[in-house]
Amino acid sequence: MSVLALDFVPMESADLEWIAAQDRELYPFPWSAQNFADSIIAGYGCWTLFEGGERAGYAVLMMVLDEAHILNISVCKARQGLGLGRRLLDHLGAVARAAGGRQIFLEVRPSNTPALAMYEKAGFETIGRRKGYYPAVNGREDALVMRLPL
């Protein structure tokens, strides 16, 4: 599969059911459509990635002063492994820089090795660990806290 033309479009209410369905397919503890709606209402940078006119991914970026925090970044299962996650990550970096961001933070499950590899390749460094941050099938899972200077 090749990558078609990409568009990063502000998330709209018409996207929310599709996004929530993707989150349910991707994660054992997904965000709800309401979680995404609340992010839009809060004024976070909420983006839908379109590839060739079709939805392919989504992301939520929160800005606090000169810091950006990626709250959610996901590519639908059928389009993973094609570099779309990295393109979405690069877009968030550009948005954060344009808003005066000097660094980006995120949390990631240590078990999410594809995401960890992408973040490390993009220049993120692990700066800490949050014990029991994520719900997991057998209790809780830690989160690695990662940072990228902009």
Side-chain angles (χ1 to χ4, degrees), residues 18 60 85 122:
W18 179 87
V60 177

Side-chain angles (χ1 to χ4, degrees), residues 26-119:
L26 292 168
Y27 305 110
F29 299 92
W31 282 27
S32 68
Q34 189 61 53
N35 293 135
F36 289 101
D38 290 345
S39 295
I40 293 170
I41 291 166
Y44 299 162
C46 302
W47 299 93
T48 303
L49 168 62
F50 285 83
E51 181 196 21
E54 299 288 326
R55 293 181 191 109
Y58 49 94
V60 177
L61 180 74
M62 177 179 68
M63 292 295 303
V64 179
L65 302 174
D66 64 351
E67 295 180 357
H69 195 117
I70 297 173
L71 302 179
N72 193 314
I73 181 169
S74 303
V75 172
C76 67
K77 205 168 258 190
R79 303 303 295 164
Q80 290 183 353
L82 301 173
L84 296 178
R86 178 59 190 265
R87 298 284 296 275
L88 194 49
L89 189 60
D90 290 346
H91 174 72
L92 296 179
V95 168
R97 276 191 295 281
R102 297 175 53 101
Q103 52 192 343
I104 299 180
F105 294 91
L106 59 81
E107 288 88 14
V108 62
R109 291 175 185 267
S111 62
N112 190 345
T113 52
L116 271 171
M118 178 183 73
Y119 299 143

